[in-house]
């Protein structure tokens, strides 16, 4: 089927003004093994900022439609695809079977339609809305694999979540609380801190006005090399940069540091003495698996989890939504509904 569609397109790397809302972007053509989805919702992640700016060593096939997270309904199905029907509501695993990332290596969700390998489809339960489903994949999937899948957080643990107001951060707060942890959430404004308390955090701090390692020392004691009674049991740090060194100073003897990213810099100042002196465990977590998405969808369907969505905007408001993500003006996720509004 020929034709065009509306899409948010990255034609060249740069600032956010490199993005263009095109009215006549080519409609995806159905190929074997795939379906065409009518995109009902797609959400932003901080990764989209890196995609727009360009990442060293990664060459993208520009132009490309951005948007890693996709929910929609099946509109066209290739003849060799079984198990799906037109009208089925689905969430998309962001990675293709070959490991390519939607919205980066191939067109993603910020468009009216999307071509998707049928093996990436995950059925959305009736009790889950499209907006909820679109908020889950990258942020909540990443947090679930790290917080739940690594088995490093236990009931009663004192857990510090850095960058707690974003998508992965709010998901980490909620999931750690579900495990019975005592959660301390770090945010950049007092308003975000209050919102995180409302979300379920036990304690909050504003990292712009308080040195969080000093805060830990004052509230939970300076970590000791001879006792595990002081300091944090777990620090969740996916910011990196200048937060890494104080993270090492905040973690108790035998404590765990969970890492799934480095939004503030991947090459921080390191002090290896803390790792051996305090017998710290630095636990990496990379991405997400289908079982993470299925577990999250089941939680949402059961009313046990409601992904935090800051704003729902039409495609015409997408660039402003991504600016809010870039400037850290968001609590939770911004979801775009490509098929609604102008």
């Amino acid at each position: 089927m020929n034709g065009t569609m509306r899409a948010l397109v990255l034609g060249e790397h740069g600032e956010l003004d490199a993005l263009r809302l095109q009215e006549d972007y080519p409609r995806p053509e159905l190929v074997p093994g795939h379906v065409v989805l009518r995109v009902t919702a797609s959400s932003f992640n901080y990764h989209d900022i890196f995609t727009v700016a360009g990442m060293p060593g990664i060459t993208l096939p520009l132009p490309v439609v951005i948007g890693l997270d996709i929910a929609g309904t099946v509109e066209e199905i290739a003849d060799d695809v079984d198990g799906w029907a037109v009208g089925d509501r689905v969430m998309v695993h962001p990675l293709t079977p070959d490991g390519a990332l939607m919205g980066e290596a191939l067109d993603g969700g910020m468009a009216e339609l999307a071509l998707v390998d049928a093996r990436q489809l995950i059925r959305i339960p009736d009790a889950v809305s499209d907006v909820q489903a679109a908020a889950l994949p990258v942020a909540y999937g990443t947090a679930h694999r790290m917080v739940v899948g690594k088995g490093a957080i236990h009931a009663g643990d004192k857990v510090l979540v850095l960058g707690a107001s974003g998508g992965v951060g709010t998901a980490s707060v909620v999931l750690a609380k579900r495990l019975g942890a005592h959660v301390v959430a770090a945010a950049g404004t007092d308003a975000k801190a209050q919102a995180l308390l409302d979300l379920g955090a036990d304690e909050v701090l504003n990292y712009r006005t308080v040195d969080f390692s000093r805060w830990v020392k004052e509230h939970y004691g300076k970590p000791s090399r001879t006792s595990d009674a002081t300091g944090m049991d777990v620090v969740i740090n996916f910011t990196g940069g200048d937060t890494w060194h104080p993270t090492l100073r905040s973690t108790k003897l035998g404590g765990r540091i969970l890492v799934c990213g480095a939004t503030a810099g991947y090459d921080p100042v390191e002090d290896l003495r803390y790792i051996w002196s305090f017998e710290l465990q630095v636990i990496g977590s990379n991405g997400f698996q289908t079982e993470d998405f299925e577990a999250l969808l089941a939680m949402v369907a059961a009313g046990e989890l409601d992904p935090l969505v800051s704003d729902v905007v039409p495609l015409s408001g997408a660039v402003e939504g991504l600016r809010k993500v870039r400037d850290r003006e968001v609590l939770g996720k911004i979801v775009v509904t490509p098929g609604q509004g102008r």
Side-chain angles (χ1 to χ4, degrees), residues 28-36 76-81 115-118:
E29 295 186 10
L30 189 63
V31 296
H34 288 64
V35 304
V36 172
E76 299 178 57
I77 308 173
D79 292 339
D80 61 343
V81 171
L115 180 68
V116 180
D117 190 309

Side-chain angles (χ1 to χ4, degrees), residues 173-205:
V173 169
V174 172
L175 293 172
K177 283 299 298 178
R178 279 180 52 83
L179 293 174
H182 179 93
V183 177
V184 179
T189 70
D190 291 340
K192 288 181 180 179
Q194 181 58 52
L196 287 163
L197 282 175
D198 297 339
L199 186 65
D202 297 287
E203 297 179 88
V204 292
L205 63 93

Side-chain angles (χ1 to χ4, degrees), residues 95 141-143 145-146 150 259-261 283-289 292:
L95 286 170
T142 297
R145 179 171 173 80
M146 174 176 62
K150 296 303 174 182
V259 182
C260 68
I283 302 171
S285 183
N286 185 25
F288 30 71
Q289 302 292 336
D292 295 307

Side-chain angles (χ1 to χ4, degrees), residues 43-45 69 132-149 153 159-181 183-186 192 195-196 199-201 236-238 258 260 287-288 292-293 295-297 299-300 304-310 330-334:
S43 73
F44 282 124
N45 297 278
D69 296 334
Q132 288 175 316
L136 292 175
V138 171
Y140 279 76
T142 297
H144 188 273
R145 179 171 173 80
M146 174 176 62
V147 172
V148 179
I153 296 177
V159 178
L160 171 62
V161 182
L162 302 179
S165 62
V168 176
T170 54
S172 297
V173 169
V174 172
L175 293 172
K177 283 299 298 178
R178 279 180 52 83
L179 293 174
V183 177
V184 179
K192 288 181 180 179
L196 287 163
L199 186 65
I236 295 176
N237 185 330
F238 46 84
L258 294 177
C260 68
F288 30 71
D292 295 307
F293 303 141
L296 289 164
L297 286 168
M299 288 182 207
V300 178
E304 299 170 357
L305 174 68
D306 185 10
L308 184 61
V309 175
S310 172
V330 177
L331 186 71
K333 299 283 289 180
I334 286 186

Side-chain angles (χ1 to χ4, degrees), residues 112-130:
E112 293 176 317
L113 300 166
L115 180 68
V116 180
D117 190 309
R119 292 170 291 180
Q120 293 172 251
L121 303 181
I122 302 168
R123 198 175 302 277
I124 300 175
D126 291 341
V128 180
S129 73
D130 292 354

